[in-house]
Amino acid sequence: RVPDRLMGSTLYPLNSLSQQWPSLFAVYAEKYVGRETLMQQTIPALGCRWNDVLHFCPVHPNLMRARLITAGYQPKLVPWFVVDPVALDFNSNNTVIYLNRSKQYRDFTKQADDFKPFEKASLAEFCALPQATVAYYQATYQAGRRPLLFHHVPHVLHKGPLSTEGMTVIRA
């Protein structure tokens, strides 16, 4: 997703913002209120913390939006970057796939087997929205809560900043 307060043409991991733009860090760190321990979790294969990486989603945002609508939500159209992992040199040294398996509620621990080395060829197996996510959207709507959009959805985690120059932006 294109950040609401994008400054310039570079995406930075959250922890990098704490040094360069402390006010932006404070705004974006708010989404971790109640989940602060997640910010300290380590990504073993990359040797860094959860917020030292950029988070991408292999599921098309139109699919997530459609399932949110089916659940009863009325999501606004928002801009998303279309990211080409080949052009951006995503590889097993700088990128992993976080499998985001179901765990106990509020369990934010990460284990080495929660991550898979990045391979472009394996992205296709993560393009469908997990049934657990669809059920979660329905349950949170029925409970009158706002959902976490990427709950149970695999993440592509890239270590380091990325230029947005040349990236396509879509609305979904």
Side-chain angles (χ1 to χ4, degrees), residues 64-125:
M64 289 186 286
R65 186 172 195 283
R67 295 302 180 260
L68 286 165
I69 291 169
T70 300
Y73 293 100
Q74 296 178 359
K76 292 185 260 181
L77 287 172
V78 295
W80 297 81
F81 284 118
V82 176
V83 176
D84 180 351
V86 173
L88 295 171
D89 194 31
F90 284 21
N91 59 63
S92 60
N93 295 319
N94 62 21
T95 309
V96 296
I97 298 173
Y98 170 58
L99 301 175
N100 206 358
R101 298 178 182 129
S102 296
K103 295 184 178 188
Q104 293 285 341
Y105 182 68
R106 311 300 285 173
D107 177 0
F108 303 118
T109 58
K110 309 284 181 265
Q111 307 299 323
D113 66 347
D114 291 330
F115 301 93
K116 178 178 179 172
F118 178 83
E119 295 173 4
K120 185 181 180 315
S122 68
L123 280 179
E125 69 184 272

Side-chain angles (χ1 to χ4, degrees), residues 153-167:
V153 176
H155 294 38
V156 175
L157 307 176
H158 177 77
K159 186 176 180 179
L162 286 176
S163 172
T164 61
E165 299 213 11
M167 285 187 190

